[in-house]
């Protein structure tokens, strides 16, 4: 019974002793170091690259796009991203030239000494500029998406009040503590091997196949223990692996490239900035009658992951609510800034800041309680989502809302007496949300994630999967699932190192899909392996397989309840008799799932996970600094496989969301990040966060392993909007942009004061059906 | 220059330019890769080590500065008496990706030693939060780290004595009013 138990993470003992070897802890003999020469301008043509005197250039090896033997392309959903700029640059810090040498510091100095002349071209640097311009030179964009359901005109006509609002969010950096890094080398047989920090070994393999015009068996990708990722090591590692492999090919030695923090900040992907506009019709009782959503993303200079980030945002833009009529329009613009990419939540935190702020503003306008307006409109079993998906079971919006409200003391806390002069203003806010786990629509049917499972000669069970462990616990929860399915000790099960030469393609470690999708295959394989073992025992010992059972480290006779042998002995005889005991199986998507990619209609996800976060804040009336003082979260992730690991995911997600809400902001000047360090890109420290109460409501998902849904992304949706709602409650200041810095609060406060003065002369605001922006 | 120091209880002598970072000497020259580099600017604490019983960022220390000093890294933490903290980190889920973990453990143990020296209660939760404020973690929200540090301190306080590798307390360690547990009065240093 290891599912549901807080099994200590298997890689824990090594991690606390400093024995875990991350990529920067490897130094192969004869290894050279690589560095990257990058664009100094956001948009333009490269006129000349020169190598000034003062550097012994003959001691280094260099590579440009010309050295790429295959296509100069790092493929994701499209094939627009180049590995190295070839005569034309589209963002500041776009890689142009690679340089390698035997000494790390000398290579860095040499890279800085390279001189590049440009012919600058006009650049589009912000989402607003991109919207105004309509197109961005040299850049492609994904197709716009539209969802329409119900009669919008009729819905708005029947509304008693219409509330509008525009909500904005900027970039967010992942800040995994381990920066991006790779080591690459070429084997004498023409194989390229790369190892590094990543989420998706087979994405990296696909990129290297295209870059070097090699078949899959000539490209080996090994994922080292990964020191945090959060989506930031979904897409970018394919680029860095390509750089290291290209340099290694030129040098003829292993090449190591590990970014320092500044380079990681300035040159890798971030969360997409977004603007989302909501227009919601509501009747007198507070029931939504119609909603119109316009969602706009800044994709940066290349498409990379933007089509699916946009799609996920659009699908989740209706939130956990029911609307008789809704239209959602999503567009992604390009800017001459670094490509934005995958980041925990994947387009959804952007829309949830909008929805959950907007719902509170509707409540305020109607004089309704924020809990009551949500309760009145939330999705229930039997209802349809904006995509027309009929929700059957596993719908827990009402439960998580009630649980978080009760445990947090939300009601009592919202009725605090007004503070005295100089005392902190306290407020409490909440956000309700959901997240669809796994790929959208029929994506999992196309992916068919393969998992392997081997019974070793010594009676241990090895799980072979491309799912990496970046801290979330893959190496612990997969064994728990297999152990439960086989009824054996969790110590009997282990996960193989993700190496494309050994493990099948179980898909990328993304989209909260590891437990609920790949874990489901682990469960099924384990059940098959258990049956196979018992069949073997029955053949050996007589009787049918049903006469035997696995337990712990043994096989028992059911009749006598006594052991008939150890798993180790039986495994040895099985391998003796039939060779390698290895099974492989793919994921089968529930065939009832119907999805139309063109119209975005149908079953967007097999199931949703649900959450509610309540945050209390204290605001200093003089400095306008905000401190979170209490966080209570409630999540339905189906069956909780490992409570301690699951709580850790929630607490970490809440922390990142608090950072998004209050502190984290990328400052730009002419396309260049101005704050690429921890001094001025501020993430929460231990003194910035309160204790976080992470609770669960378990509403099992029949198609997940032992009822588990997805978890990783869900908890990042709540705290940021809840903080803004709490600030509004405490101060009356309506903040519609993140992060809520003191500067932004002051501006919003001044704007509100100005608006109040204007309103006194504006008869429209008195009408019953006025529109508030 | 020739630099001589004690690393995890063993004496060590190396010949390196004195301006090399202690972090690189540990990781590259001595192969002690448990100490991590998170930023190289003294902002993230991933490279925290104990230098004569004080927590320092190894990325900010020129190796010339450690001549004659005693250094403890995560590889030597157990021998230096910090094993209960390591066990608590595993048991309570305080390590996720593990990149901040070595530095976090060294800061936590440094805070414990400093609390003993100053006669403070190491268990004060706000005190723990402040002691770890220089160690960034992006995975945990710090909740499980603080819980584990607190549990580790409990275990440490129960131990009859700390191993010799732990620097001797200087003041206030006999004051029972600080309630840190029976370990206070019996340190051997």
């Amino acid at each position: 019974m290891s599912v549901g138990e807080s099994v200590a993470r298997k890689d824990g003992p090594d991690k606390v002793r400093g024995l875990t070897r991350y990529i920067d802890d490897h130094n192969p003999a004869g290894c050279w170091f690589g560095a990257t020469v990058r664009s100094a301008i956001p948009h333009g043509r490269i006129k000349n690259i020169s190598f000034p005197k003062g550097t012994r250039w003959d001691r280094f090896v260099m590579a440009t796009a010309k050295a790429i033997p295959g296509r100069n392309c790092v493929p994701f959903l499209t094939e627009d991203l180049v590995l190295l700029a070839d005569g034309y640059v589209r963002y500041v810090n776009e890689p142009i030239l690679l340089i390698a040498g035997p000494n790390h510091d000398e290579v860095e100095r040499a890279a800085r000494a390279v001189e590049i002349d440009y012919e600058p071209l006009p650049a589009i640097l912000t989402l607003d500029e991109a919207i105004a311009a309509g197109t961005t030179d040299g850049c492609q964009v994904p197709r716009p998406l539209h969802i329409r359901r119900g009669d919008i005109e009729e819905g708005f006509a029947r509304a008693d009040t219409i509330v509008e609002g525009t909500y904005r969010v900027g970039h967010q950096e992942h800040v995994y503590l381990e920066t991006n890094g790779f080591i690459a080398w070429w084997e004498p047989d023409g194989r390229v091997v790369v190892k590094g920090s990543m989420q998706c070994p087979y994405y990296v393999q696909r990129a290297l196949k295209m870059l070097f015009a090699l078949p899959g068996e000539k490209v080996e990708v090994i994922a080292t223990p990964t020191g945090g990722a959060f989506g930031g090591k979904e897409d970018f590692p394919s680029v860095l692996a390509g750089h290291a492999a290209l340099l290694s090919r030129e040098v003829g030695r292993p090449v190591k490239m590990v970014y320092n923090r500044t380079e990681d900040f300035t040159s890798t992907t971030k969360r997409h900035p977004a603007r989302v506009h909501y227009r919601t019709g509501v009747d007198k009782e507070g029931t939504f009658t119609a909603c119109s959503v316009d969602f706009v993303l800044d994709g940066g200079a290349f498409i990379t992951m933007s089509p699916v980030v946009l799609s996920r945002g659009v699908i989740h833009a209706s939130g956990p609510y029911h609307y008789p009529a809704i239209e959602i329009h999503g567009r992604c613009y390009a800017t001459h800034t670094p490509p934005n990419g995958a980041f925990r939540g994947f387009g959804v935190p952007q829309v949830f800041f909008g929805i959950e702020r907007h719902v509170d503003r509707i409540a305020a306008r109607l004089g309704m309680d924020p809990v009551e307006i949500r309760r009145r409109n939330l999705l229930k079993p039997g209802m349809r989502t904006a995509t027309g998906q009929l929700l059957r079971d596993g719908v827990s919006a009402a439960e998580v809302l009630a649980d978080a409200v009760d445990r947090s003391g939300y009601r009592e806390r919202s009725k605090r007496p007004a503070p005295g002069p100089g005392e902190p203003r306290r407020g409490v806010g909440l956000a309700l949300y959901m997240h669809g786990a796994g790929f959208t629509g029929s994506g999992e049917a196309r992916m068919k994630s393969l998992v392997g499972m081997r019974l070793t000669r010594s009676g241990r069970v090895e799980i072979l999967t491309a799912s990496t462990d970046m801290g979330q616990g893959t190496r612990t929860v997969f064994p728990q699932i297999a152990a439960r399915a086989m009824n054996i000790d969790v110590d009997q099960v282990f996960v193989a190192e993700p190496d494309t030469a050994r493990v099948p393609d179980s898909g990328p470690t993304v989209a909260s899909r590891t437990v609920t999708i790949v874990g489901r295959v682990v469960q099924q394989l384990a059940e098959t392996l258990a049956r196979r073992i018992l069949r073997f025992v029955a053949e050996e010992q007589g009787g049918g397989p049903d006469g035997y059972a696995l337990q712990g480290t043994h096989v028992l006779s059911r009749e006598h309840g006594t052991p008939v042998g150890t798993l180790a002995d039986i495994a040895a005889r099985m391998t003796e008799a039939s060779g390698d005991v290895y099974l492989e199986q793919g994921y089968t998507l529930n065939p009832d799932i119907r999805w139309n990619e063109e119209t975005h209609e149908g079953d967007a996800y097999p199931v949703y996970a649900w959450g509610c976060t309540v945050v209390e804040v204290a605001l200093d009336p003089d400095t306008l600094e905000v401190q979170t003082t209490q966080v209570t979260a409630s999540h339905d992730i189906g069956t909780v496989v490992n409570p301690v690991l699951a709580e850790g995911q929630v607490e970490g997600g809440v922390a990142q969301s608090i950072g998004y809400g209050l502190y984290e902001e990328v400052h730009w000047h002419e396309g260049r990040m101005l704050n690429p360090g921890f001094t001025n890109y501020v993430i929460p420290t231990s003194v910035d966060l309160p204790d976080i109460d992470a609770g669960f409501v378990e509403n099992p998902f029949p198609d997940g392993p032992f009822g588990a849904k997805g978890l990783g992304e869900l908890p990042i949706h709540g705290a940021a909007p809840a903080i803004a709602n709490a600030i509004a409650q405490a101060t009356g200041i309506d903040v519609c942009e993140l992060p809520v810095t003191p500067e932004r609060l002051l501006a919003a406060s001044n704007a509100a004061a100005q608006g109040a003065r204007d309103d006194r002369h504006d008869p429209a605001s008195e009408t019953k059906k006025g529109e508030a922006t | 220059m020739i630099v001589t120091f004690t690393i995890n209880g063993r004496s060590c002598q190396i010949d390196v330019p004195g301006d090399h970072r202690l972090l690189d000497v540990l990781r590259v020259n001595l192969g002690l890769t448990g100490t991590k580099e998170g930023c190289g600017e003294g902002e993230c604490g991933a490279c925290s080590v104990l230098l004569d019983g004080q927590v320092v960022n190894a990325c900010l220390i020129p190796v010339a500065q450690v001549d004659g000093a005693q250094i403890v890294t995560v590889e030597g933490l157990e021998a230096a008496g910090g094993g209960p903290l390591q066990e608590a980190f595993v048991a309570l889920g305080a390590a996720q990706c593990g990149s901040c973990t070595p530095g976090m453990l060294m800061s936590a143990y440094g805070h414990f030693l400093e609390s003993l020296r100053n006669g403070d209660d190491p268990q004060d939760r706000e005190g723990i939060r402040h002691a770890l404020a220089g160690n960034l973690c992006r995975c945990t929200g710090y909740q499980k780290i603080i819980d584990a540090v607190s549990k580790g301190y409990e275990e440490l306080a129960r131990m009859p004595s700390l191993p010799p590798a732990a620097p001797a307390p200087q003041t206030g360690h006999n004051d029972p009013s600080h309630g840190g547990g029976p370990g206070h009065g019996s340190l051997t240093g």
Side-chain angles (χ1 to χ4, degrees):
Chain A
M1 280 298 291
S2 61
V3 165
E5 288 174 7
S6 291
V7 171
R9 58 180 314 132
K10 286 179 168 253
D11 48 359
D14 276 359
K15 283 180 171 173
V16 300
R17 288 176 176 78
L19 301 177
T20 302
R21 297 185 73 213
Y22 302 84
I23 190 62
D24 198 24
D25 304 332
H26 294 263
N27 290 296
C31 181
W32 277 26
F33 298 89
T36 312
V37 180
R38 299 176 178 280
S39 173
I41 64 166
H43 185 211
R45 294 200 180 81
I46 296 169
K47 284 161 61 183
N48 187 40
I49 302 177
S50 56
F51 303 93
K53 285 189 184 125
T55 300
R56 288 276 310 275
W57 295 106
D58 58 322
R59 296 170 54 147
F60 301 97
V61 170
M62 276 164 283
T64 63
K66 307 280 181 281
I68 300 168
R71 283 178 59 194
N72 182 12
C73 169
V74 182
F76 292 107
L77 292 141
T78 56
E79 297 181 354
D80 64 327
L81 179 64
V82 295
L83 183 73
L84 289 168
D86 193 2
Y88 177 64
V89 290
R90 278 165 270 211
Y91 64 92
V92 171
N93 285 320
E94 183 170 359
I96 295 170
L97 179 138
L98 304 169
I99 178 163
N103 177 287
H104 176 267
D105 293 350
E106 285 175 15
V107 174
E108 293 283 335
R109 272 197 297 277
R112 284 195 296 273
V114 175
E115 285 183 0
I116 301 180
D117 292 331
Y118 304 91
E119 177 196 340
L121 295 166
I124 300 229
L125 298 174
T126 64
L127 183 54
D128 286 340
E129 287 172 36
I131 294 168
T135 59
T136 300
D137 285 349
C139 303
Q140 301 173 35
V141 291
R143 72 180 175 99
L145 298 175
H146 307 281
I147 290 176
R148 287 189 191 83
R149 191 172 161 70
D151 187 337
I152 283 283
E153 283 71 27
E154 188 270 339
F156 279 116
R158 150 172 107 69
D160 294 303
T161 307
I162 294 171
V163 181
E164 285 196 52
T166 302
Y167 308 89
R168 293 168 189 273
V169 291
H171 291 87
Q172 186 182 22
E173 164 59 34
H174 308 85
V175 193
Y176 28 71
L177 256 283
E178 180 210 29
T179 56
N180 275 286
F182 267 92
I183 296 172
W185 66 94
W186 291 75
E187 295 286 348
D189 63 2
R191 277 185 316 129
V192 60
V193 185
V194 296
K195 65 198 290 184
S197 184
M198 72 187 84
Q199 294 174 236
C200 314
Y202 277 91
Y203 280 7
V204 175
Q205 192 199 48
R206 177 171 170 233
L208 296 180
K209 279 158 57 182
M210 185 171 279
L211 290 162
F212 296 100
L214 289 172
E217 61 272 20
K218 293 275 189 194
V219 179
E220 181 175 353
V221 181
I222 303 164
T224 45
T226 293
F230 314 112
K233 292 170 184 170
E234 172 173 351
D235 36 28
F236 191 80
S238 298
V239 174
L240 186 53
H243 288 169
L246 185 63
L247 272 179
S248 172
R249 189 171 179 273
E250 295 297 306
V251 176
R253 295 167 172 275
V255 168
K256 178 172 175 174
M257 297 183 80
V258 176
Y259 285 169
N260 64 28
R261 182 60 60 182
T262 308
E263 188 166 21
D264 203 292
F265 261 117
T266 57
S267 310
T268 70
T269 57
K270 300 191 178 22
R271 189 187 298 292
H272 290 64
R275 190 195 72 185
V276 59
H277 180 85
Y278 280 89
R279 180 169 186 261
T280 308
V282 58
D283 70 15
K284 282 197 193 68
E285 281 73 45
T287 304
F288 301 154
T289 62
C291 184
S292 174
V293 188
D294 187 46
F295 176 47
V296 185
L297 284 177
D298 173 356
F302 291 95
I303 288 182
T304 67
M305 293 291 167
S306 291
V308 274
V309 172
L310 183 68
S311 166
R312 228 174 228 280
V314 161
I315 291 167
H316 287 79
S318 50
Y321 305 112
H322 178 260
Y323 302 88
I326 185 162
E327 58 177 357
I328 304 168
H329 305 285
R331 281 164 295 148
C332 182
Y333 288 88
T335 54
H336 294 116
T337 62
N340 296 308
F343 191 158
R344 191 180 202 172
F346 213 73
V348 183
Q350 290 95 323
V351 295
F352 272 118
F353 174 64
I355 309 162
E356 287 305 278
R357 252 321 0 246
H358 192 64
V359 170
D360 257 42
R361 295 176 78 216
I362 297 170
R365 195 157 157 89
L366 302 181
M368 271 184 85
D369 172 45
V371 177
E372 184 50 35
I373 195 165
R374 286 178 172 84
R375 196 175 283 156
R376 190 170 286 267
N377 290 287
L378 52 76
L379 286 163
K380 299 186 184 84
M383 289 179 169
R384 286 184 188 275
T385 67
T387 66
Q389 175 167 3
L390 177 65
L391 296 173
R392 293 185 180 87
D393 38 26
V395 183
S396 310
E399 287 94 326
V400 294
L401 176 63
D403 182 42
V405 166
D406 286 352
R407 280 195 291 115
S408 64
Y410 176 88
R411 299 233 175 263
E412 303 74 55
R413 285 168 193 275
S414 18
K415 291 183 197 116
R416 277 179 198 282
E423 281 179 10
R425 309 280 190 270
R426 289 182 188 275
V428 59
L430 61 82
L432 184 67
Y433 44 91
M434 82 293 201
H435 196 91
F439 289 150
T440 303
S442 28
E444 294 295 349
R446 283 195 300 275
M447 183 70 232
K448 294 190 194 74
S449 306
L450 280 176
V451 179
M453 189 171 284
R454 170 174 286 111
L455 181 65
T456 69
R457 191 176 282 275
S458 60
R460 299 185 76 209
V461 174
E462 180 182 31
I463 300 167
L464 296 103
T465 157
S467 303
T468 66
D469 197 322
M470 44 198 155
Q472 86 283 37
T474 310
R475 300 181 78 78
T476 307
V477 294
F478 277 179
Q480 286 185 258
I481 290 166
R484 163 77 182 270
M486 298 180 72
N487 197 36
I488 62 174
D489 288 350
V490 70
D491 292 342
Q492 292 288 115
V493 191
F494 67 103
V495 177
E497 180 182 53
D499 174 345
T500 56
R502 285 202 68 222
V503 302
D505 185 2
S506 34
T509 317
V510 304
S512 310
R513 65 188 292 281
T514 299
V515 164
T516 193
I517 303 290
V518 186
R520 175 66 164 178
V521 187
V522 169
Q523 178 196 350
Q524 290 165 341
L525 277 170
E527 286 164 355
T528 309
L529 181 60
R531 279 196 299 275
R532 192 158 153 190
I533 294 168
L534 297 182
R535 231 179 17 242
F536 178 82
V537 173
E539 280 163 18
E540 259 195 353
Q541 317 253 340
D546 292 348
Y548 302 93
L550 283 158
Q551 191 175 77
T553 54
H554 286 75
V555 175
L556 305 182
S557 150
R558 276 188 200 273
E559 194 186 341
H560 307 291
T562 51
V564 297
T566 66
L567 204 44
D569 290 342
I570 292 162
R573 293 202 294 276
M574 274 177 85
T575 42
E576 191 74 22
S578 50
D580 191 20
V581 183
Y582 176 76
L583 311 172
E584 202 168 277
Q585 187 180 320
Y587 182 77
T588 313
L589 187 66
N590 185 330
D592 295 339
I593 288 176
R594 296 270 181 279
W595 175 246
N596 184 329
E597 181 65 36
E598 277 307 299
T599 60
H600 265 50
E601 283 175 303
D603 302 315
Y605 302 98
V607 72
Y608 286 93
W610 307 83
C612 183
T613 300
V614 178
V615 182
E616 187 190 58
V617 301
L619 182 141
D620 184 312
D622 298 318
T623 65
L624 300 182
E625 283 171 298
V626 177
Q627 172 85 28
T628 51
T629 53
Q630 190 199 324
V631 177
T632 309
S634 179
H635 290 99
D636 165 28
I637 56 165
T639 302
V640 178
V641 176
N642 183 317
V644 162
L645 291 184
E647 286 165 17
Q649 288 295 297
V650 170
E651 290 154 5
V654 164
Q656 284 182 345
S657 188
I658 290 175
Y660 195 43
L662 287 177
Y663 309 116
E664 297 181 40
E665 186 164 25
V666 178
H667 296 279
W668 299 91
H669 179 67
E670 294 178 358
R672 177 180 298 279
M673 182 179 182
L674 290 178
N675 53 333
F678 291 136
T679 316
N680 39 21
Y681 185 89
V682 179
I683 67 166
T685 70
S686 51
V687 294
D688 299 319
L689 299 176
D691 281 336
I692 299 164
D693 175 7
F696 295 99
V697 169
E698 294 188 65
N699 196 346
F701 166 45
D703 289 344
F706 301 104
K709 302 176 178 178
L711 163 61
E713 295 167 280
L714 180 70
I716 204 165
H717 299 328
I723 286 168
N725 288 340
I727 292 168
Q729 195 210 52
T731 63
I733 304 172
D734 243 355
V735 199
C736 296
E737 186 169 1
L738 294 181
V740 189
T741 55
E743 293 87 340
R744 209 160 263 138
L745 261 178
L746 185 62
S749 166
N750 290 342
Q754 182 67 40
R757 282 194 294 277
D758 295 347
D759 272 358
R760 282 200 290 273
H761 309 288
D762 178 10
S765 67
E766 303 297 319
T767 61
K768 176 167 149 272
K769 203 164 170 173
E771 298 190 4
T773 298
Chain B
M1 66 179 283
I2 307 276
V3 190
T4 308
F5 53 94
T6 306
I7 175 78
N8 297 332
R10 298 169 71 166
S11 87
C12 155
Q13 192 173 69
I14 59 165
D15 186 3
V16 283
D19 64 347
H20 274 200
R21 306 184 302 175
L22 174 61
L23 176 61
D24 296 324
V25 170
L26 292 172
R27 288 181 51 82
V28 181
N29 300 70
L30 301 178
L32 294 170
T33 54
T35 303
K36 303 301 174 198
E37 174 161 4
C39 68
E41 296 177 340
E43 291 283 352
C44 78
C47 63
S48 301
V49 298
L50 293 182
L51 177 63
D52 290 334
Q54 306 275 352
V55 181
V56 296
N57 288 314
C59 71
L60 296 182
I61 306 282
V63 70
Q65 211 174 307
V66 307
D67 196 47
Q70 294 214 24
I71 296 164
V72 181
T73 69
V74 71
E75 289 92 344
L77 180 59
E78 193 172 354
L85 280 168
Q86 292 169 304
E87 285 162 30
F89 265 55
V90 175
L92 299 191
Q96 286 191 27
C97 88
S99 289
C100 76
T101 305
M104 201 65 84
L105 283 163
M106 300 316 292
S107 284
Y109 194 50
H111 177 59
F112 182 78
L113 297 177
E114 192 183 333
S115 300
L116 292 193
R117 283 198 296 270
N118 298 338
D120 297 334
D121 176 11
Q123 282 291 4
D124 176 68
R125 208 165 163 91
E126 277 311 295
I128 295 173
R129 282 195 181 277
H130 279 94
L132 302 182
N135 291 79
L136 295 178
C137 168
R138 191 58 154 172
C139 296
T140 63
Y142 305 101
Q143 178 95 359
K144 303 238 177 285
I145 291 175
I146 292 160
D147 291 347
V149 168
S150 182
K151 177 156 188 285
Y153 287 174
E154 253 174 54
E155 298 298 321
L156 281 169
R158 282 203 198 98
M159 289 170 69
S161 68
L162 291 176
Q170 285 147 13
T171 54
H173 62 278
N174 267 336
D175 184 354
S177 67
H178 287 96
H184 275 204
S186 52
L187 288 171
T188 56

